[in-house]
Amino acid sequence: MKILEVTLDEDAATLKRLDKALSHCAQDYSRARLQALIQQGNVQVNGAVCTNPSAKIQPGDAVILQEPPPIESTPQPEKIDLDIVYEDDDMLVINKPAGMVVHPGAGNHDGTLVNALLYHCRDSLSGIGGVLRPGIVHRLDKDTTGLMVVAKHDRAHQGLADQLQDRSLSRLYTALVLKVPIPIKGYVEGSIGRDPRNRQKMAMNVKNGKAAKTFYHVQETFGEACSLVSCKLESGRTHQIRVHMNALGNPLIGDPLYGPQPTAVQSKLKQAGCDMGVVNAALNFPRQALHARAIRFIHPITGEEHQYDAALPDDLSDLITSLRASISG
């Protein structure tokens, strides 16, 4: 159960209503969510349960918000094809396609990687991730492609999670970004947390953000229009590469949340001499151009070093091929 305790200051008290004051103090919650929590009896004011969202408050009032744990439904096994790069009795390495959500959540109750794993692995998945995330050691965004590790039992899960924590589990990504980063090799560092103005997005240097660092290195340029960049994570925050590259001034092509304006993409590609077919291909690329291309780790049971690579998916490979031909031509 998540608990938030606050003493209302003058700024919060000027809002007069309990729900508005809590919204001021707890920006991770929408006002509608806070109103529901109040009405469900999950908020106390000065030690007494208050179920009225419009209750009057005063400076110095002690407010406690207790968010109950979510009620988890049990995902069902589904026969979904998986691109399995490696598998043994302890773990798997999966090459995830674009469009596949990793675990069930709001609006995605089936068709996820977890549903596929439950069918493929039957009863052999780690329980550390809970009902909704069995076996899931780390995740990729829905439309990010590439390599993930999955644990079949708790000992393997803990071993892989420890490597994530101490950074001995290494992940390399390939991103196609607008323009050419300056310098061409370096890092972006800045905490990442939920954007208080848009709950679907993450943002840098916000309240309660977590430390994040991304190393990058330009691998190939397409004039001054785009570049292919290798990224390595020192941390693993939600949308980290997408947020950090955007902060650098080089948003990912196709990114629906942080991506470049269409006019900027069109202008840069035209300046580089690209024909309209390539311009339209970049403008209409249906997802963030990001691929988890390599992963290296120590097997959590045998102690052997493993390294795997995954070729670029066809959609991204085709766009890059078109860019090369258009620029060189």
Side-chain angles (χ1 to χ4, degrees), residues 28-67:
D28 283 350
Y29 297 87
S30 68
R31 188 172 165 197
R33 175 62 173 151
L34 289 169
Q35 288 174 339
L37 288 169
I38 294 169
Q39 292 167 343
Q40 293 163 5
N42 294 299
V43 174
Q44 298 179 27
V45 179
N46 298 326
V49 173
C50 180
T51 58
N52 180 10
S54 62
K56 303 301 180 185
I57 44 84
Q58 302 291 332
D61 281 350
V63 180
I64 299 176
L65 167 67
Q66 296 179 313
E67 182 182 8

Side-chain angles (χ1 to χ4, degrees), residues 13-34:
T14 59
L15 300 172
K16 298 182 179 179
R17 290 170 51 117
L18 175 59
D19 57 348
K20 290 184 177 180
L22 264 181
S23 183
H24 173 81
C25 299
Q27 296 182 358
D28 283 350
Y29 297 87
S30 68
R31 188 172 165 197
R33 175 62 173 151
L34 289 169

